[in-house]
Amino acid sequence: MVSGDFTLFEPGEQPLTVTLVADSSGNVPDLNDFVEIVGENSQHAEVSVVENAGAGVATITRLPRDYDEDTSYDAGETIGEASVIPRSPVDWANPSDGEDLSPGDDVVSDAGGGVRAFDEAGGDTADMIVGPVWTTISKGNYTTGKVAVLRQN
């Protein structure tokens, strides 16, 4: 197997490239700030300033090359490519049949060995959460159809 078939990121490895976007107030994180997953584009997970308590999943290690701290940004505006170090490993997982998962969705493991969306109304509890989806973008043959999940437990 090729490195990365099962794990996209393991602590101590090179930082991951992400797309940095401004939060709902136009704020942009600085180096060493925690960020949360807010989406993805065709190449990377998108991250922004933590707006939801407990949602911080990674630390900014490199800001975009063209970033200007004196510029005012609009809500949701793309700033550019940055680097982050996730708090924990990011592993590839099979979504359960019929699951349409998005970046930032909390998932739980299912009886079939895959992952499905956390469903509090369906009886899921917080201690069952594996973590949020990092990205749905495949990174090679063995990851096609899988989602990358930031492991929290």
Side-chain angles (χ1 to χ4, degrees):
M1 293 279 169
V2 178
S3 176
D5 289 345
F6 302 112
T7 301
L8 174 63
F9 173 83
E10 189 71 47
E13 292 182 348
Q14 293 285 18
L16 291 175
T17 300
V18 296
T19 299
L20 192 63
V21 298
D23 73 359
S24 63
S25 299
N27 297 317
V28 179
D30 285 324
L31 286 175
N32 299 319
D33 282 353
F34 278 117
V35 292
E36 69 178 297
I37 304 164
V38 296
E40 68 186 359
N41 55 40
S42 62
Q43 295 181 324
H44 306 292
E46 295 176 335
V47 299
S48 188
V49 172
V50 176
E51 293 191 273
N52 301 296
V57 297
T59 304
I60 295 285
T61 60
R62 180 185 56 81
L63 292 167
R65 203 170 288 152
D66 297 334
Y67 173 64
D68 179 0
E69 64 184 31
D70 295 325
T71 298
S72 294
Y73 293 97
D74 294 326
E77 184 175 348
T78 298
I79 311 304
E81 286 188 3
S83 295
V84 298
I85 295 179
R87 296 186 323 191
S88 57
V90 180
D91 294 326
W92 292 103
N94 287 312
S96 300
D97 289 341
E99 285 289 311
D100 186 20
L101 299 171
S102 299
D105 288 349
D106 283 330
V107 296
V108 298
S109 58
D110 68 4
V115 294
R116 62 174 174 75
F118 172 73
D119 182 10
E120 190 171 26
D124 292 345
T125 57
D127 63 326
M128 297 169 66
I129 296 173
V130 175
V133 172
W134 180 264
T135 186
T136 64
I137 302 168
S138 297
K139 301 289 185 191
N141 291 336
Y142 296 102
T143 62
T144 300
K146 297 183 187 224
V147 296
V149 176
L150 181 81
R151 239 183 8 211
Q152 292 184 332
N153 62 20

